[in-house]
Amino acid sequence: MTIADLRTSLRTVPLPRPWGADVPANHVVVCEVTLKDGRSGTGFSWTPQIGAHAVQALLDHDLREALIGLPAHPEVVWDRLWRHLREAGPGGITTIALAGIDLALWDLRCGERGLADVLGRRRDEVPVYGSGVNLHYSLGELVAQVRRWVAAGYRGVKIKVGRPDLAEDVARVAAVREVIGPDRLLMIDANQRWDLHRARRAISALREFGLHWIEEPLPADDVAAHVELRRSIDVPVAVGENVYTTYGFRDLLAAGACDVVQPNVVRVGGITPFLRIVELARTYDVPVYPHLLSDVSGQLALALPLPVMAEDVEDASFAALGLLEEPYPVNVSDGVLRASEHAGLGLRWSR
């Protein structure tokens, strides 16, 4: 069956807990792919800060015409459109745009079955860790957030680090460890704020708090610095939320630059490249922990081959933002994520 049309709509929704003064909202481009027989599937592209209008323009003006008439086969379409977009750059806006189409085609591929079952469900639930974009929070606000996660039964928590004064990071991490106790996992995320020297110094000061991993300690594309850092510390290194291509993940894994990879299903271009990254990481025995977007990435986690946790950013899922109608595709309770009974991706977009 071939593709007849692509339609997009842009939705901007305020975040109940802004991710800083410069990130008060998230932007979602809903993509509907229609086949010649009238069936349709929906996916989405997403950006929390900039580029949403450029992504929609790329979909409407450069991808729609190239898409119409192709077979409704996610892998075939992805490879064809990747070549079509190559002149526009290898990743970033291009892969974010491709994700909307790819997710819609996977929605169609699933038919009446849910995504996890189509991929090969390996578990019925995954543990959840609480995650917050909270570097701008006061210490009191941070502690209150962590207490909410503990009350919800989350198995671990992740907080932002990278304040100008390292002593502030130390005090904040110490306070979080005191709240969660010795048994819950504690992850920290520097969001690329450090250079190699600062990263070594910061991790040396923070390692006493029993860190499960340090996320994005360095610029995402500096493979050599990640290798050097990993050689000099005993805290696992997690990377990937700002890596946009399978080639980027290949280079990090081949160099021995990381212990955990965290592809974002939209930033890498959808489920098709996400699954390629999963198999690539598996050959290096490196686990995949999907980044953000729990409404879909939680479903993917149910089918991953190695141990995994789902990330739940407080009040930032599409369900929490009011973008979806019930029943939601995933539910979080008692510290675990489970998929609901639904067809396809289970994304019922609100009107």
Side-chain angles (χ1 to χ4, degrees):
M1 184 58 60
T2 58
I3 296 167
D5 203 3
L6 168 68
R7 290 284 181 263
T8 70
S9 61
L10 174 59
R11 306 184 184 194
T12 294
V13 57
L15 289 163
R17 302 179 190 277
W19 294 352
D22 56 339
V23 191
N26 274 195
H27 313 284
V28 179
V29 181
V30 178
C31 299
E32 182 178 20
V33 172
T34 303
L35 306 186
K36 283 193 173 181
D37 66 0
R39 287 179 295 153
S40 64
T42 59
F44 63 91
S45 298
W46 162 90
T47 175
Q49 192 168 13
I50 62 172
H53 290 280
V55 168
Q56 187 177 24
L58 199 62
L59 284 159
D60 291 344
H61 299 291
D62 295 281
L63 286 172
R64 180 177 176 272
E65 183 177 352
L67 178 66
I68 292 174
L70 293 181
H73 189 298
E75 291 89 348
V76 171
V77 169
W78 202 94
D79 290 340
R80 183 80 62 87
L81 295 183
W82 171 252
R83 290 194 297 272
H84 179 69
L85 290 181
R86 178 136 324 170
E87 184 179 357
I93 288 175
T94 54
T95 49
I96 291 171
L98 281 172
I101 294 170
D102 187 74
L103 288 164
L105 291 175
W106 274 95
D107 190 39
L108 279 162
R109 171 178 279 187
C110 290
E112 295 304 311
R113 302 173 67 199
L115 177 63
D117 292 319
V118 170
L119 295 178
R121 182 192 296 264
R122 285 180 164 88
R123 53 187 69 84
D124 291 325
E125 61 186 33
V126 290
V128 173
Y129 69 91
S131 180
V133 186
N134 48 30
L135 191 63
H136 59 297
Y137 284 20
S138 68
L139 181 58
E141 290 170 329
L142 176 63
V143 166
Q145 182 179 55
V146 172
R147 285 179 174 152
R148 290 193 291 273
W149 291 331
V150 170
Y154 288 177
R155 314 295 173 83
V157 305
K158 184 174 76 181
I159 68 166
K160 303 296 184 183
V161 293
R163 291 243 177 165
D165 184 350
L166 178 56
E168 290 185 70
D169 280 338
V170 172
R172 290 162 71 87
V173 174
V176 169
R177 174 53 80 187
E178 183 176 356
V179 170
I180 68 174
D183 297 326
R184 281 187 173 84
L185 302 179
L186 173 56
M187 292 78 78
I188 58 174
D189 182 357
N191 278 133
Q192 308 181 77
R193 287 185 176 85
W194 296 330
D195 55 29
L196 185 56
H197 171 72
R198 289 181 64 205
R200 284 174 170 154
R201 183 168 173 264
I203 294 166
S204 177
L206 296 169
R207 64 182 297 276
E208 67 176 285
F209 301 109
L211 304 178
H212 191 60
W213 72 54
I214 167 64
E215 186 171 326
E216 282 202 319
L218 303 166
D221 54 357
D222 193 342
V223 176
H226 279 89
V227 171
E228 287 300 313
L229 178 64
R230 187 167 178 248
R231 286 173 178 166
S232 62
I233 63 175
D234 60 0
V235 174
V237 175
V239 298
E241 71 172 89
N242 286 296
V243 179
Y244 291 84
T245 67
T246 54
Y247 309 115
F249 284 94
R250 176 202 62 191
D251 293 346
L252 287 160
L253 289 161
C258 56
D259 300 277
V260 173
V261 293
Q262 301 169 297
N264 179 294
V265 69
V266 167
R267 287 175 175 163
V268 300
I271 293 170
T272 295
F274 181 94
L275 295 176
R276 294 171 181 176
I277 292 162
V278 168
E279 289 307 309
L280 179 62
R282 190 178 185 182
T283 65
Y284 289 90
D285 203 29
V286 171
V288 172
Y289 286 71
H291 174 255
L292 272 179
L293 303 174
S294 59
D295 308 278
V296 170
S297 64
Q299 299 181 61
L300 293 170
L302 295 171
L304 294 181
L306 298 178
V308 64
M309 291 187 292
E311 179 180 21
D312 184 29
V313 178
E314 188 174 34
D315 294 334
S317 70
F318 288 170
L321 293 175
L323 286 167
L324 302 179
E325 296 178 355
E326 296 187 84
Y328 303 136
V330 301
N331 297 289
V332 175
S333 62
D334 301 322
V336 298
L337 178 145
R338 302 177 182 89
S340 65
E341 293 292 330
H342 62 258
L345 304 185
L347 301 173
R348 295 163 47 86
W349 299 97
S350 59
R351 299 299 179 185

